[in-house]
């Protein structure tokens, strides 16, 4: 096969950041995605409808001329989030709210510290038809970082989906066979996003031969058996799994230091890298569902009408990209040859 045409895809989980960074991140995403679920973990976080709509305006200002792109905004849940915040957000067209356990990842210190105290908010979200997007890790210091997703399922997520069966839940950026099995066996109101890095890499790619900071993300890469479970999940064609890059830009200096930031900036090659994974799995026929239809179907949104074409052509992801402020950033899979390319 030398080309593949699919319905224009969407990215159901990414980070744009804010300010001048938007002039890099928004065009990189809008080049191939029609919509994106935008994470709200700014500083300060996006905790209400007014802040979300103001942020949406800044994103739209950064969309290149001639591109069609629709940012789908989210609320950042805290223990101060009220049921009225949910009502107001839904009325403003905000489809989802994000649950970060406090301290789980970048800019999450203000997030939820007492999860069970959020139950009235979850009930209101179910009533309003607002989706709950979950960063599924516990943050207890005694729990090994490689076990945090599994423990979250056992201690927290099982209870949430049982208590609120009408609440639509997206288990974001899953990293383990445990998570893939949980989602596959749950009700139709539970789905998951999977990143390119968790399909392509395992913890050897982070730790063998020295720490590789540009492969460091949270949830952290797991052992190769979990990587294989995720690959089999997408190969299955199940509508419960769909594209969410978790593209998360950090300047090179913030990644390559004594306490490097978590996140992989994959927007520069995301759809191409997914195509490469599906080709390796002999499942290119499943790419369109994963990238273009499962997500909008789960969110209750219309599928996109336009298409994109990928051609089998080798190109190399740049070693660095220069941000608008002059700082370099290292994209995910920098310097590697990719076998699929977005047609002009």
């Amino acid at each position: 096969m030398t080309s593949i045409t699919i319905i224009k895809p969407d990215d159901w989980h990414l980070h744009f950041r804010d300010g001048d960074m938007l002039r890099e991140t928004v065009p990189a995403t809008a080049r191939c995605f029609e919509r994106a679920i935008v994470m709200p973990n700014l500083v300060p976080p996006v905790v209400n409808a007014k802040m979300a709509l103001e942020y949406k305006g800044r994103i739209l200002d950064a969309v290149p001329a001639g591109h069609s792109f629709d940012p789908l905004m989210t609320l950042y849940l805290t223990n101060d989030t009220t049921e009225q915040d949910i009502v107001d957000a839904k009325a403003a067209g905000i489809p989802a709210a994000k649950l970060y356990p406090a301290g789980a990842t970048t800019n999450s210190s203000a997030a939820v510290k007492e999860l069970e105290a959020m139950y009235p908010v979850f009930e209101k979200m179910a009533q309003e038809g607002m989706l709950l997007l979950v960063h599924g890790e516990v943050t207890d210091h005694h729990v090994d970082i490689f076990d945090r997703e599994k423990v979250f399922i056992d201690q927290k997520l099982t209870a949430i989906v049982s208590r609120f069966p009408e609440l639509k839940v997206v288990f974001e950026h899953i990293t383990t066979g445990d998570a893939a099995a949980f989602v596959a066996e749950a009700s139709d109101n539970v789905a998951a996003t999977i990143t390119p890095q968790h399909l392509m890499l395992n913890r050897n790619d982070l730790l063998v031969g020295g720490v590789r900071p540009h492969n460091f993300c949270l949830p952290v890469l797991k052992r190769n058996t979990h990587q294989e479970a995720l690959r089999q999940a997408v190969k299955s064609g199940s509508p419960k799994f769909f594209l969410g890059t978790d593209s998360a830009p950090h300047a090179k200096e913030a990644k390559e230091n004594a306490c490097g930031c978590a996140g992989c900036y994959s927007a520069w090659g995301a759809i191409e890298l997914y195509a490469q994974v599906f080709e390796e799995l002999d499942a290119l026929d499943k790419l369109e569902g994963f990238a273009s239809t499962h997500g909008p179907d789960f969110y209750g949104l219309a599928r996109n009408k336009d298409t994109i074409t990928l051609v089998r052509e080798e190109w190399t992801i740049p070693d660095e990209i220069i941000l608008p402020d002059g700082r370099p950033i290292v994209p995910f899979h920098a310097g590697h040859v990719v076998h699929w390319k977005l047609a002009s």
Side-chain angles (χ1 to χ4, degrees), residues 6 8-10 12 242-243 271 286-293:
I6 62 173
K8 194 173 183 182
D10 305 299
W12 297 98
F242 45 86
L243 186 156
I271 192 62
K286 303 295 198 310
L287 176 63
E288 184 175 56
F290 178 81
S292 309
T293 66

Side-chain angles (χ1 to χ4, degrees), residues 6-9 34 68 303-308:
I6 62 173
I7 296 170
K8 194 173 183 182
E34 180 72 19
S68 170
R303 298 176 179 182
N304 297 323
K305 296 186 182 302
D306 291 337
T307 61
I308 63 166

Side-chain angles (χ1 to χ4, degrees), residues 162-183:
S162 175
R163 181 154 182 163
F164 305 103
E166 301 305 312
L167 178 65
K168 280 196 165 184
V169 177
V170 181
F171 195 172
E172 296 199 300
H173 47 46
I174 63 171
T175 67
T176 61
D178 306 282
F182 175 84
V183 171

Side-chain angles (χ1 to χ4, degrees), residues 122-300:
F122 297 162
E123 180 67 36
K124 181 56 67 174
M125 290 175 65
Q127 293 171 2
E128 293 289 319
M130 179 177 280
L131 281 74
L132 175 64
L133 315 182
V134 178
H135 182 117
E137 294 187 288
V138 298
T139 55
D140 308 86
H141 185 70
H142 69 277
V143 178
D144 188 285
I145 192 169
F146 293 104
D147 297 331
R148 290 181 172 186
E149 186 171 273
K150 172 65 163 60
V151 174
F152 184 88
I153 295 168
D154 295 342
Q155 293 186 355
K156 307 294 184 181
L157 191 55
T158 298
I160 292 172
V161 300
S162 175
R163 181 154 182 163
F164 305 103
E166 301 305 312
L167 178 65
K168 280 196 165 184
V169 177
V170 181
F171 195 172
E172 296 199 300
H173 47 46
I174 63 171
T175 67
T176 61
D178 306 282
F182 175 84
V183 171
E185 295 164 8
S187 78
D188 289 344
N189 279 342
V190 179
T193 57
I194 305 181
T195 74
Q197 63 264 27
H198 290 106
L199 291 169
M200 297 178 69
L201 308 178
N202 59 66
R203 64 190 187 183
N204 282 357
D205 299 293
L206 176 64
L207 299 171
V208 171
V211 176
R212 301 174 188 274
H214 298 287
N215 290 343
F216 175 51
C217 57
L218 288 172
V220 71
L221 297 169
K222 304 301 194 296
R223 65 172 65 244
N224 62 350
T225 52
H226 291 297
Q227 176 195 7
E228 183 58 27
L230 299 183
R231 289 167 71 91
Q232 291 305 310
V234 302
K235 183 178 182 179
S236 75
S238 167
K240 285 174 161 282
F241 302 103
F242 45 86
L243 186 156
T245 63
D246 194 22
S247 182
H250 295 282
K252 182 179 180 180
E253 65 197 37
K255 294 285 288 181
E256 297 179 4
N257 65 37
C259 189
C261 293
C264 299
Y265 182 47
S266 58
W268 261 70
I271 192 62
E272 296 91 339
L273 291 172
Y274 280 118
Q276 187 159 304
V277 169
F278 277 79
E279 182 181 40
E280 291 168 358
L281 295 170
D282 193 24
L284 274 172
D285 61 315
K286 303 295 198 310
L287 176 63
E288 184 175 56
F290 178 81
S292 309
T293 66
H294 298 169
D297 291 353
F298 188 79
Y299 271 77

